[in-house]
Amino acid sequence: MGRSRDNRRRAVAEAVVEAVEGGLAELIPDPDRARAWSLLIDGAPQSHVDLDDPAHLSFEYQRRIGHVIDLAAPPGKPVQAVHLGGGALTLARYTAATRPRSTQQVVERDAALVQLVRRELPLDPGARIRVRSADAREGLAKVPDGWADLIVADVFSGARTPAHLTSTEFLDGVRRALRPGGVYTANLADGPPLAHLRAQIATAAARFPELALIADPAILRGKRFGNAILVASDTPLPLAELTRRAASDPHPARLEHGAKLMDFTGGATPVTDTSAVASPAPPPSVFR
């Protein structure tokens, strides 16, 4: 029934439009993939899902997080993962497809969005993915100490990361939930003069000894607004392979780490709960 309904929609290229807590959600059919959809919230692209091929990552920032997921453990090994921010559950689906038998928790505040995605883009019944409707930080606090091999943060409200998810106190919760050797990765968005991004690197450096940042060189030079992927751990990261994969993407990215990454912060100080602000709003031209 679900498949035939999807096919009828596609025959007339009909979008699914529905009000959710975060704004107006649109599921737009992909003209090039039979059962693929893009999720937009208030016109801002959030996720892309191919129900026939959940290992396909269309958005460049999600491909970069996909590289982190690929290298977080030996190929195919199941992991215990926490996703802060759900969207269309793209990265949870990717992890389930590439690492079968993984156990995953998704924390997504927007309960109406979760219902829409579950109805229109149903999860594989065999995927061990639990979705909890809660604030990301509150949901993270319920993860047992040392439970997660991988924590992915991709949380946006009105195209901005909420302030309480940018602080050292938030990262204390991440460290608590990660097992020793676990990996944290976050989608950070910023544009010139990159004050938010620089402060987020300084904040992560205050809590993690090993850091890397993956981004389009134009973003790192402060030439345009865009996404940068933070990778952090308490043990050395697979820098050479991350560098190779980022450089070989359809939209090549650069990886920064070590002294150069610390220089990039420009003396920014770590963000705390008392000083935290939301990430900057993207300029309207970003989504045109």
Side-chain angles (χ1 to χ4, degrees), residues 77-92:
K77 180 182 178 182
V79 295
Q80 296 184 161
V82 176
H83 300 265
L84 304 177
L89 310 177
T90 303
L91 293 169

Side-chain angles (χ1 to χ4, degrees), residues 237-258:
L237 296 166
L239 297 173
E241 185 61 15
L242 276 174
T243 299
R244 186 191 71 78
R245 291 183 181 220
S248 61
D249 269 343
H251 298 279
R254 194 169 81 211
L255 182 144
E256 296 288 4
H257 66 96

Side-chain angles (χ1 to χ4, degrees), residues 38-190:
S38 291
L39 168 67
L40 284 69
I41 304 291
D42 286 342
Q46 300 288 324
S47 304
H48 179 278
V49 169
D50 187 336
L51 296 178
D52 289 331
D53 182 11
H56 173 76
L57 297 176
S58 179
F59 290 3
E60 61 187 63
Y61 89 86
Q62 290 185 327
R63 281 199 302 273
R64 291 164 189 166
I65 295 177
H67 300 325
V68 178
I69 295 171
D70 291 345
L71 297 173
K77 180 182 178 182
V79 295
Q80 296 184 161
V82 176
H83 300 265
L84 304 177
L89 310 177
T90 303
L91 293 169
R93 298 173 200 263
Y94 178 84
T95 304
T98 58
R99 297 185 176 280
R101 303 182 308 282
S102 291
T103 302
Q104 302 186 75
Q105 299 183 35
V106 178
V107 184
E108 169 56 60
R109 182 172 188 166
D110 194 329
L113 176 61
V114 171
Q115 292 177 356
L116 171 65
V117 169
R118 282 188 176 278
R119 185 183 75 237
E120 300 293 338
L121 307 175
L123 288 166
D124 180 342
R128 300 168 63 177
I129 301 173
R130 176 187 178 190
V131 184
R132 175 185 293 138
S133 295
D135 171 79
R137 192 154 156 181
E138 293 174 1
L140 178 64
K142 295 181 179 179
V143 176
D145 292 1
W147 183 85
D149 300 297
L150 173 70
I151 297 178
V152 179
D154 185 16
V155 185
F156 288 86
S157 176
R160 303 177 72 183
T161 301
H164 69 297
L165 304 181
T166 67
S167 66
T168 52
E169 290 89 344
F170 166 66
L171 291 183
D172 286 337
V174 171
R175 284 296 304 265
R176 179 199 58 76
L178 276 176
R179 68 163 178 81
V183 176
Y184 171 65
T185 184
N187 178 25
L188 309 175
D190 199 8

